[in-house]
C-alpha cells in the first residue's frame, strides 16, 4: 500500500459535501438529531428509574439503535461517494440487516477487547485493522461478519498508520465542535465519514478492482 494523498482525499470529501445529489448536511442534521433524542431518552429513563434494570435495558436498546442508524448513515455516505441518487430513507436501511450489523459490532468489540488485554497498543492496532469491516459488510451483504473483518485486515495492511494520521488531522475540527457547543458536528460528521470512505476505496484496490470515484492520488474522479 502506497502513501495516500490525505489532503486530496479530504478535498474530495469536501467536494462531496458541497456537490452531493442529496443534501449531506441536511441528512447529517437529521441523523445527529435522532442520536441526541435517543440519548436524551436514555438519560431521562436513568433519571426517572435511578439506574434500575429498566434503565439498563433502555441503555442497551439505545446503543443498538444508534449502531444500526450509524450503518444507515454510512450507506447514505457510500451512495454519495458513488454518485447515486440516495434518498434520506437510506438512513433507516440498516434495520433491514440489523442482526448482521450488531453481530459484526459485537465480534469486532470482542476481538479488540481481547487484543487490548495484551496491552492497549495492540487494541488500538486491532481497531484500525477492522476499520473497514462495516463498509465491506454493507457493500457486500453476502459476506459473513468474519469475512468482512478478515477482508478489512487485508485492506488496511500498510494503511493503519495513515488512518491514524487521518484521524489526528481532524483534531482542530473536534476542538471547533467544543467551542461551538457541538454545532460543528453537523459538518464534521460527514467530513470524517467521507474522508474515511476515500481511504476505504484505496484499500479495496489492494485485492479487488471495484470502481472508485477517488483516483490513486486521492483526487475525486
Amino acid at each position: 500500500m502506497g502513501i495516500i494523498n490525505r489532503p486530496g482525499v479530504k478535498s474530495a470529501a469536501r467536494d462531496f459535501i458541497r456537490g452531493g445529489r442529496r443534501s449531506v448536511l441536511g441528512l447529517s442534521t437529521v441523523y445527529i438529531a435522532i442520536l441526541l433524542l435517543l440519548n436524551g431518552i436514555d438519560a431521562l429513563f436513568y433519571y426517572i428509574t435511578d439506574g434500575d434494570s429498566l434503565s439498563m435495558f433502555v441503555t442497551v436498546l439505545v446503543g443498538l439503535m444508534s449502531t444500526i442508524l450509524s450503518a444507515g448513515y454510512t450507506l447514505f455516505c457510500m451512495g454519495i461517494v458513488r454518485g447515486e441518487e440516495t434518498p434520506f430513507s437510506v438512513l433507516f436501511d440498516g434495520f433491514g440487516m440489523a442482526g448482521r450489523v450488531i453481530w459484526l459490532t459485537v465480534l469486532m468489540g470482542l476481538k479488540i477487547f481481547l487484543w487490548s488485554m495484551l496491552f492497549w497498543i495492540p487494541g488500538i492496532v486491532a481497531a484500525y485493522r477492522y476499520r473497514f469491516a462495516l463498509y465491506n459488510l454493507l457493500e457486500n451483504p453476502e459476506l459473513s461478519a468474519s469475512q468482512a473483518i478478515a477482508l478489512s485486515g487485508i485492506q488496511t495492511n500498510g494503511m493503519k498508520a495513515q488512518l491514524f494520521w487521518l484521524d489526528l488531522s481532524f483534531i482542530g475540527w473536534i476542538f471547533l465542535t467544543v467551542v461551538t457547543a457541538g454545532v460543528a458536528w453537523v459538518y464534521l460528521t460527514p467530513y470524517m465519514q467521507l474522508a474515511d470512505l476515500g481511504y476505504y476505496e484505496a484499500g479495496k484496490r489492494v485485492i479487488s478492482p471495484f470502481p472508485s470515484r477517488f483516483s490513486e492520488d486521492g483526487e475525486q474522479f
Side-chain angles (χ1 to χ4, degrees), residues 97-190:
M97 52 190 306
R100 304 182 67 199
V101 169
I102 291 171
W103 172 236
L104 175 67
T105 303
V106 170
L107 190 57
M108 285 195 301
L110 178 60
K111 287 176 176 288
I112 293 171
F113 171 74
L114 292 176
W115 278 108
S116 298
M117 292 182 68
L118 299 177
F119 196 53
W120 59 274
I121 292 180
I124 293 175
V125 173
Y128 280 102
R129 183 183 304 126
Y130 309 144
R131 177 86 156 231
F132 299 154
L134 178 62
Y135 302 155
N136 288 322
L137 184 66
L138 294 177
E139 192 167 38
N140 305 280
E142 71 280 1
L143 295 178
S144 67
S146 296
Q147 289 173 327
I149 290 173
L151 191 56
S152 178
I154 298 172
Q155 293 163 336
T156 57
N157 185 34
M159 194 191 294
K160 299 178 190 67
Q162 297 187 64
L163 287 168
F164 174 74
W165 288 112
L166 173 67
D167 291 343
L168 281 184
S169 73
F170 289 106
I171 288 295
W173 275 97
I174 293 174
F175 176 76
L176 182 61
T177 65
V178 175
V179 299
T180 60
V183 174
W185 273 118
V186 173
Y187 187 88
L188 181 57
T189 299

Side-chain angles (χ1 to χ4, degrees), residues 68-88:
I68 298 168
L69 283 170
S70 177
Y73 182 75
T74 300
L75 280 170
F76 176 82
C77 289
M78 294 176 82
I80 293 294
V81 169
R82 290 192 293 261
E84 298 175 353
E85 191 71 33
T86 310
F88 280 8

Side-chain angles (χ1 to χ4, degrees), residues 9 131-132 135 163 166-167 191-201:
V9 169
R131 177 86 156 231
F132 299 154
Y135 302 155
L163 287 168
L166 173 67
D167 291 343
Y191 189 14
M192 293 181 67
Q193 180 70 85
L194 291 166
D196 204 52
L197 285 170
Y199 277 63
Y200 169 62
E201 293 293 329

